[in-house]
C-alpha cells in the first residue's frame, strides 16, 4: 500500500459525503491500539509486520512502558472501496478508567464509533461506560469482537462452543444498549404524558398504567448489534484477520449457489444446511445439526489454526493453494507459528478491509448529523432550543447542511488542548533539500575552500621581504576582510542557533478540534466563545452580521483571535494545511492564550457555546506540590498552568493555606501528571505530599447500643473520667445547650440572640441534594436576579418543571411530625449555596424562601430583613469547615428556632428600611444608649459596604444612608459581622451536641480474577477495609468478577499490591462512587464495666475514624491530642519479651 500524500488527503477533505469521523472505544486491554495499528498499516504508514507490536498511536514513552493508552490521538486514513474514495479520521482513545475524560473529548468530535470487545472477557465495566458516553453524544456504534484467537489457543473451545460464547457476548452488549434505549423512551413518554395531561382530561376508566406501552411502538431494530445487519466484525487484530459475514456470504453464494442476500440473513442464527436438498433449514439446535456459522465459517478458521500450530505442512499448503494466497519463504520457515499464521490470515481475511468497509457502510458521514444531536449541542444547561434567539436557531440549518461554501458561518468546537514539543511542528522540522539548494551549497563550500587557500598563501608571502610583491599583500588584506565578514556571519549563526534551541525547549499547544460548518482558513479572525457566553445578551450589543475584524464593544465571555496554523493530525506527525472544510477533524495552533481546555469558535456572534463535555470520572485524588528549591516556585506555577491546559480532567488549585494542589482522577493519572510536570512543563525537581484524602463531617442519631452491643442506659457507668473532660472542652460560657441539643448564643454586643438545632438529614435527601446541585445553583441565580428586580430572560418552563419536581421529591422524603412544613421553610443550602446541607427557619415574623422563582415571591418587610443574609453567610461558613477536622459538612439540617433582636437592633433595621423617620430614631437612640458616637464615618461606610455586599442589594430609595447605621459598628465591629460569627459558632456547637461521625469517600472496585487467586484478592481487600458486595462467575470462563467498595483513603498502592499478590492475574478497576459514614465514633472512650473489660482502660486499639481525623488535623496544623508515654520506668522485663 502506497503512502497517501497530504495533497491527496486535503483533496478528500472537500468531499464531505466521503468523510467518516470515528473513534475506537473499549475497556482497557481489549485491543484498541492494536486494531488501530492494523488500520494504519493498510495505508502504508507502518509495516504490516509491526502492526500490534509498534502501537503507533501510543506516542508517549510512558504509554509504551505501561502498555496502556493515556491520551486520545488522531490519524487520517485513505480507503478505497470499489470506485468510491473515503477519508477516515480515526481517533484512538484510552480504556483505563482514570483517562475516561479523554474518551469524552474524542466522542464529541466523531459521528460514529467502533466498540471493541474482548472475546474472552466480554462486556466489562468500562465497555458499559463508553457505550453510555457514545449514547449521550448521539453517535452511532459498530462492534468489533476482538481476540477470537484466544478462544482457539487459550480456552481451546470447539467451534460450536465458541459460537454459543460469541452469541452470549452479543446478547450482553445488546442488553446494555437496550437498557439505555428503554430509559430514553420512558423519559420521552413521561414528558409527552405531562404535556397531554395539561391538554386533555381522559375518563377515569382509561388510566390503567402500562409502563412498556411506549416501547412497543418505537422502532429499535437499528440499535442492536447483529452480524446479519452488517454492523459486527469478528476479528483477531494481533493475527491480522477479521471478517463480517457478508464476506463469507459472497464466497459461498458462488460455491453453493444460494443468493448472497439469503446467506446474509441465515449465516448467523439457528439455521443449518440440508446438504441433500441444498436448502437452508431452520432449527439446528432441536435437530442436533451444526449451525451455518459454525459449519461454513468457524470450522475453517479452527482447522487453519490447528494446521499451523501443529506444523502440518501438507494441510497448510493445501489451504494456501485453495485460497490462492502467496506466502513468502521467510514466514513459512519462521520458528514462531504465529508469524506464519499472520501471513496467511492477513491475506485471506484482511482486518482493515472488513473494519473500514463496515465503517463506510454503517456509520454516518458529517452530512447525516441528526437534528436531535444539533439541538443537544446548542442548548447549554437548562435552556431549550426554542428559547434561543431566532438568529441562533437559524444556525441549525448551517449545522445540518455542513456546507463548505464561503458564505456559510464557520463553527468549530475545540474539545481539548494538547501539548506538542516545538521540534515536532512542521515548520521546525528539517526538510529535504532541493537539487538547486544542494548545488548552491556546493558552490559556497568551494568558495570558502578557495578563500582559505588564498589566505594561507598570503601568510607565506608576507613572511618574505615586502618590496618584492606589495600588490599581493593588498590582495591578501582584502581576503582577511572577507574572512572577518565570514566570522561575523558565523557569530550570527551561533546566536540564532542558541535562540532556536531556546524555542525548541518550549511546549506549544495545539487545539484538537472539528469543523461543524464553513471553511476554516489560516490567518482567519474568529470569535472564541467561553462556556458562559450568552448569544441573547451579546446580540443586543452586536449586529448578527458583524465579523471578528470590526472594532467591537466588550462582550463578556467572548474574545477575538487569529487562527495561526492549521494542522492535519497524523498520529505522531503534524502536517501543515492552508484551509479545512466542514466535517473534518484538525489541529489548530496559536490558541493557547484564548482557550483553556475546550471552547467554541465561530465567525457568527449568534452561535451559542456547545454543551460542556460530560466526564464519567470525578477527580478525587489530591496531592500538594512544591519545588525542592524554593527559587523554582515561578517555574512550578507556570508549569501547573500549562498542565491544567494540557489535561482535560486535572484540576489545579491554590488552597487557603497557600498550598498548590493537583486534583486527578486516580493513581495512574496522578503519576502521569507528575511526570509531565517534572519533565515537560515545569522542568524542576518537585516534592509531592502524601495524597490529601477528602472527608466529610456529619451527625447521626444517638445509637441504641454501645460498643459491646449492650443496650445504652442499662449499665452502670464507671468513673467517666474521659467523658467529662471532653464535655468540659466543648462548650464555653455564654453558650446554653439544652438536653435535646438546642444551642442558644448571643452576639458579643448582646443585641441579638440565636437558637439553633442540628439534625441529620435522611440519606435519600442528601443524595437528592448532591444530584441536583446544578439545579440548586440555577435556583439561587434566579432568586438573586428576582431580588435585584432585574428583568432576566423569561424563566424557562422546563427549568421550572424541574424545580417543582425537585421540591416534590424533597417533600416525599421529608415526611413525619419532625419535618412538618420543612420544605417551605428552607432558607438556604450550603456550603457554597448548593451543597448537601439545609438551613431552615422556624421562628415567627419572618418569611423568605428558596422557592421564590416558582412565583410565590413575597416582598418581606420585617425587622430581620437587613440581617438575614448575615445569618445565611454564617451557615455557609459553618458548613464549609466542620468542628472535627475542618472538612465540609454533609447531610446536616440546621434549624434556627429563635432569633431575638434587642430594641436597638430592631430600631436599626427599621431605620434602614424607612429612611424618612431616620432623624427621630437617631434622637431616640442617642437617649437610650450610652454608646459613644465617636466612630468615624469611614467605619460606617466600610460597614455599610460590607453589609450591602452580603445582603440582597436594596432598591435605590432604601440606600440613602440612615444616620443610625453608625451605631451598628460598636467595639465588637460591624453588627452584620457579629451575626455571621455568632451563627457560625451556634452551628458548630449544635453539631457537637449530637453524635458526630466522619464520612469517607468510597470507590467501587471491580476485580476480574481466576479461581486460584481469589483468596489473595480477598486478603488484600480485607486488609484495606474493603467490603465485598458480590462475586459472580463469568459464563463459559473460569473468571470471577468481584464487586467491592473500598475507602479512597486505603486505595493508594492497591492496584499494585493486588497485581503483585496475584502475579498479575487480577487487575482492579476503581471508580469514585459515594460517601459513606464510618460507623465508629472518633471521640469514643470506654465508660461502662463491659467496655472497660473488653477494650481496656485506655482503649488502645485506636479506632479507624479517630486515626483519619487526627491525620487530617495534623496535616492542617490543628491541635491533636496524642498519647504520651506515661510511667516510662515500668519497662517489660526481658523474660516477658521472649
Amino acid at each position: 500500500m502506497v503512502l497517501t500524500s497530504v495533497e491527496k488527503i486535503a483533496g478528500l477533505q472537500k468531499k464531505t459525503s466521503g468523510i467518516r469521523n470515528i473513534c475506537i472505544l473499549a475497556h482497557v486491554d481489549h485491543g484498541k491500539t492494536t486494531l488501530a495499528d492494523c488500520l494504519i498499516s493498510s495505508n502504508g504508514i507502518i509495516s504490516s509486520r509491526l502492526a500490534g507490536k509498534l502501537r503507533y498511536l501510543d506516542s508517549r514513552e510512558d504509554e509504551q512502558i505501561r502498555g496502556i493508552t493515556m491520551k486520545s490521538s488522531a490519524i487520517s486514513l485513505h480507503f478505497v472501496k470499489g470506485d468510491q474514495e473515503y477519508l477516515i479520521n480515526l481517533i484512538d482513545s484510552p480504556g483505563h478508567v482514570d483517562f475516561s475524560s479523554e474518551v469524552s473529548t474524542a466522542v464529541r468530535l466523531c459521528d460514529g464509533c467502533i466498540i471493541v470487545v474482548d472475546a474472552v472477557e466480554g462486556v466489562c465495566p468500562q465497555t458499559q461506560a463508553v457505550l453510555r458516553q457514545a449514547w449521550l453524544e448521539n453517535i452511532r456504534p459498530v462492534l468489533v469482537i476482538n481476540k477470537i484467537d484466544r478462544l482457539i489457543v487459550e480456552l481451546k473451545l470447539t467451534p460450536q462452543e465458541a459460537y454459543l460464547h460469541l452469541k452470549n457476548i452479543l446478547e450482553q452488549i445488546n442488553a446494555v444498549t437496550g437498557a439505555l434505549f428503554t430509559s430514553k423512551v420512558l423519559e420521552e413518554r413521561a414528558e409527552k404524558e405531562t404535556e397531554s395531561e395539561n391538554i386533555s382530561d381522559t375518563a377515569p376508566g382509561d388510566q390503567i398504567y402500562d409502563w412498556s406501552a411506549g416501547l412497543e411502538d418505537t422502532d429499535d431494530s437499528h440499535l442492536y448489534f447483529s452480524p446479519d445487519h452488517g454492523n459486527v466484525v469478528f476479528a483477531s487484530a494481533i493475527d491480522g484477520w477479521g471478517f463480517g459475514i457478508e464476506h463469507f456470504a459472497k464466497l459461498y453464494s458462488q460455491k453453493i449457489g444460494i443468493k448472497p442476500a439469503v446467506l446474509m440473513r441465515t449465516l448467523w442464527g439457528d439455521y443449518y444446511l440440508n446438504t441433500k436438498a441444498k436448502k437452508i433449514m431452520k432449527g439446528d439446535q432441536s435437530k442436533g445439526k451444526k449451525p451455518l456459522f459454525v459449519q461454513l465459517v468457524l470450522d475453517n478458521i479452527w482447522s487453519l489454526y490447528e494446521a499451523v500450530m501443529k506444523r502440518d505442512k501438507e494441510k497448510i499448503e493445501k489451504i494456501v493453494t485453495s485460497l490462492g494466497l502467496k506466502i513468502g519463504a521467510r514466514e513459512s520457515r519462521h520458528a514462531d507459528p504465529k508469524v506464519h499464521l499472520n501471513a496467511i490470515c492477513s491475506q485471506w481475511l484482511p482486518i482493515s478491509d472488513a473494519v473500514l468497509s463496515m465503517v463506510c457502510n454503517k456509520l454516518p458521514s458529517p452530512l447525516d448529523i441528526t437534528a436531535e444531536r444539533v439541538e443537544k449541542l446548542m442548548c447549554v444547561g437548562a435552556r431549550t432550543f426554542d428559547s434561543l434567539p431566532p438568529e441562533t436557531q437559524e444556525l441549525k440549518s448551517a449545522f445540518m447542511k455542513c456546507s463548505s461554501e464561503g458564505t456559510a458561518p464557520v463553527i468549530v468546537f475545540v474539545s481539548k488542548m494538547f501539548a506538542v514539543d516545538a521540534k515536532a511542528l512542521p515548520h521546525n522540522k528539517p526538510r529535504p533539500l532541493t537539487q538547486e539548494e544542494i548545488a548552491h551549497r556546493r558552490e559556497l563550500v568551494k568558495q570558502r575552500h578557495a578563500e582559505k587557500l588564498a589566505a594561507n598563501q598570503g601568510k607565506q608571502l608576507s613572511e618574505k621581504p615586502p618590496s618584492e610583491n606589495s600588490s599581493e599583500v593588498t590582495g591578501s588584506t582584502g581576503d582577511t576582510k572577507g574572512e572577518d565578514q565570514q566570522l561575523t556571519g558565523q557569530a550570527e549563526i551561533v546566536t540564532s542557533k542558541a535562540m532556536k534551541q531556546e524555542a525548541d525547549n518550549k511546549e506549544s499547544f495545539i487545539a484538537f478540534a472539528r469543523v461543524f460548518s464553513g471553511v476554516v482558513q489560516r490567518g482567519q479572525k474568529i470569535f472564541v466563545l467561553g462556556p458562559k457566553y450568552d448569544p441573547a445578551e451579546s446580540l443586543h450589543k452586536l449586529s448578527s452580521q458583524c465579523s471578528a475584524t470590526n472594532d467591537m464593544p466588550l462582550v463578556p465571555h467572548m474574545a477575538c483571535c487569529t487562527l495561526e496554523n492549521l494542522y492535519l493530525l497524523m498520529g505522531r506527525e503534524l502536517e501543515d494545511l492552508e484551509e479545512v472544510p466542514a466535517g473534518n477533524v484538525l489541529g489548530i495552533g496559536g490558541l493557547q492564550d484564548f482557550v483553556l481546555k475546550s471552547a467554541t469558535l465561530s465567525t457568527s456572534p449568534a452561535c451559542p457555546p456547545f454543551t460542556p463535555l460530560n466526564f464519567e470520572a470525578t477527580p478525587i485524588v489530591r496531592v500538594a506540590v512544591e519545588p525542592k528549591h524554593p527559587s523554582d516556585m515561578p517555574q512550578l506555577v507556570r508549569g501547573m498552568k500549562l498542565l491544567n491546559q494540557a489535561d482535560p480532567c486535572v484540576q489545579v488549585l491554590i488552597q487557603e493555606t497557600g498550598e498548590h494542589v493537583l486534583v486527578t482522577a486516580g493513581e495512574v493519572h496522578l503519576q502521569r501528571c507528575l511526570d509531565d510536570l517534572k519533565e515537560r512543563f515545569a522542568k524542576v525537581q518537585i516534592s509531592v505530599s502524601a495524597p490529601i484524602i477528602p472527608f466529610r463531617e456529619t451527625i447521626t442519631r444517638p445509637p441504641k447500643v454501645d460498643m459491646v452491643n449492650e443496650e445504652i442506659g442499662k449499665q452502670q457507668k464507671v468513673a467517666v473520667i474521659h467523658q467529662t473532660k471532653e464535655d468540659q472542652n466543648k462548650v464555653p460560657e455564654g453558650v446554653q445547650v439544652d438536653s435535646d441539643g438546642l444551642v442558644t448564643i448571643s452576639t458579643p454586643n448582646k443585641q441579638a440572640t440565636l437558637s439553633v438545632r442540628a439534625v441529620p438529614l435522611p440519606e435519600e435527601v442528601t443524595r437528592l441534594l448532591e444530584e441536583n446541585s446544578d439545579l440548586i445553583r440555577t435556583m439561587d441565580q434566579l432568586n438573586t436576579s428576582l431580588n435585584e428586580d432585574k428583568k432576566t430572560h423569561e424563566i424557562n418552563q422546563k427549568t421550572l418543571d424541574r424545580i417543582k419536581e425537585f421540591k416534590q421529591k424533597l417533600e416525599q422524603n421529608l415526611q413525619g411530625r419532625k419535618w412538618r412544613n420543612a420544605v417551605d421553610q428552607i432558607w438556604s443550602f450550603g456550603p457554597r449555596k448548593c451543597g448537601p446541607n439545609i438551613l431552615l427557619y422556624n421562628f415567627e415574623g419572618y418569611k423568605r424562601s428558596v422557592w421564590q422563582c416558582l412565583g410565590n415571591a413575597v416582598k418581606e418587610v420585617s425587622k430581620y430583613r437587613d440581617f438575614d443574609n448575615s445569618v445565611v453567610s454564617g451557615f455557609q461558613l459553618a458548613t464549609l469547615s466542620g468542628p472535627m477536622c475542618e472538612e465540609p459538612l454533609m447531610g446536616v439540617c440546621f434549624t434556627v428556632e429563635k432569633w431575638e433582636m434587642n430594641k436597638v437592633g430592631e430600631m436599626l433595621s427599621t431605620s434602614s428600611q424607612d429612611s424618612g423617620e431616620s432623624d427621630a430614631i437617631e434622637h431616640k437612640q442617642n437617649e437610650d444608649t450610652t454608646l459613644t458616637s465617636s466612630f468615624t464615618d469611614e467605619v460606617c461606610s466600610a460597614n455599610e459596604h460590607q453589609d450591602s455586599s452580603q445582603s440582597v442589594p436594596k432598591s435605590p430609595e432604601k440606600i440613602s444612608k440612615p444616620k443610625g447605621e453608625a451605631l451598628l459598628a460598636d467595639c465588637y465591629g460591624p453588627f452584620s459581622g457579629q451575626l455571621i460569627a455568632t451563627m457560625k459558632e451556634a452551628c458548630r456547637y449544635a453539631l457537637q451536641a449530637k453524635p458526630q461521625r466522619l464520612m469517607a469517600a468510597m470507590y467501587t472496585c471491580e476485580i476480574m480474577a481466576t479461581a486460584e487467586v481469589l483468596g489473595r484478592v480477598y486478603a488484600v481487600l480485607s486488609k484495606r477495609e474493603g467490603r465485598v458486595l458480590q462475586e459472580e462467575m463469568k459464563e463459559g470462563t473460569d473468571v470471577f468478577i468481584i464487586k467491592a467498595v473500598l475507602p479512597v483513603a486505603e486505595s493508594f498502592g492497591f492496584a499494585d499490591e493486588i497485581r503483585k499478590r496475584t502475579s498479575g492475574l487480577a487487575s482492579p478497576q476503581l471508580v469514585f462512587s459515594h460517601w459513606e459514614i464510618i460507623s465508629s465514633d472518633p471521640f469514643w472512650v470506654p465508660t461502662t464495666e463491659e467496655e472497660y473489660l473488653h477494650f481496656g482502660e485506655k482503649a488502645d486499639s485506636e479506632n479507624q475514624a479517630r486515626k483519619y481525623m487526627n491525620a487530617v488535623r495534623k496535616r492542617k496544623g490543628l491541635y491533636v491530642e496524642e498519647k504520651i508515654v506515661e510511667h516510662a520506668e515500668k519497662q517489660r522485663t526481658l523474660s516477658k519479651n521472649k
Side-chain angles (χ1 to χ4, degrees), residues 197-270:
E197 271 171 26
N198 301 341
I199 302 161
S200 65
D201 296 318
T202 47
D206 306 342
Q207 288 298 312
I208 300 164
Y209 189 75
D210 174 17
W211 69 271
S212 60
L215 292 172
E216 254 68 275
D217 321 331
T218 44
D219 175 36
D220 57 353
S221 57
H222 61 281
L223 281 177
Y224 297 119
F225 299 112
S226 171
D228 49 351
H229 290 171
N231 59 3
V232 180
V233 159
F234 301 95
S236 162
I238 199 78
D239 287 344
W241 61 267
F243 63 88
I245 59 172
E246 62 274 6
H247 174 87
F248 281 98
K250 281 178 196 157
L251 189 79
Y252 284 113
S253 66
Q254 297 158 2
K255 284 195 177 178
I256 310 173
I258 295 174
K259 287 177 192 160
V262 177
L263 276 170
M264 267 299 285
R265 281 206 312 277
T266 55
L267 255 176
W268 180 264
D270 297 340

Side-chain angles (χ1 to χ4, degrees), residues 87 134 196 204 222 230 243 303 343 425 433 546 595 602 606 611 640 691-692 702 794 796 828 925 942 964 1050:
L87 174 69
S196 61
H222 61 281
F243 63 88
S303 60
L425 294 177
L433 300 172
C546 99
V595 178
S602 177
T611 318
M640 287 180 83
I692 301 170
E794 284 302 302
N796 181 343
S828 177
Q925 278 167 347
E1050 302 290 337

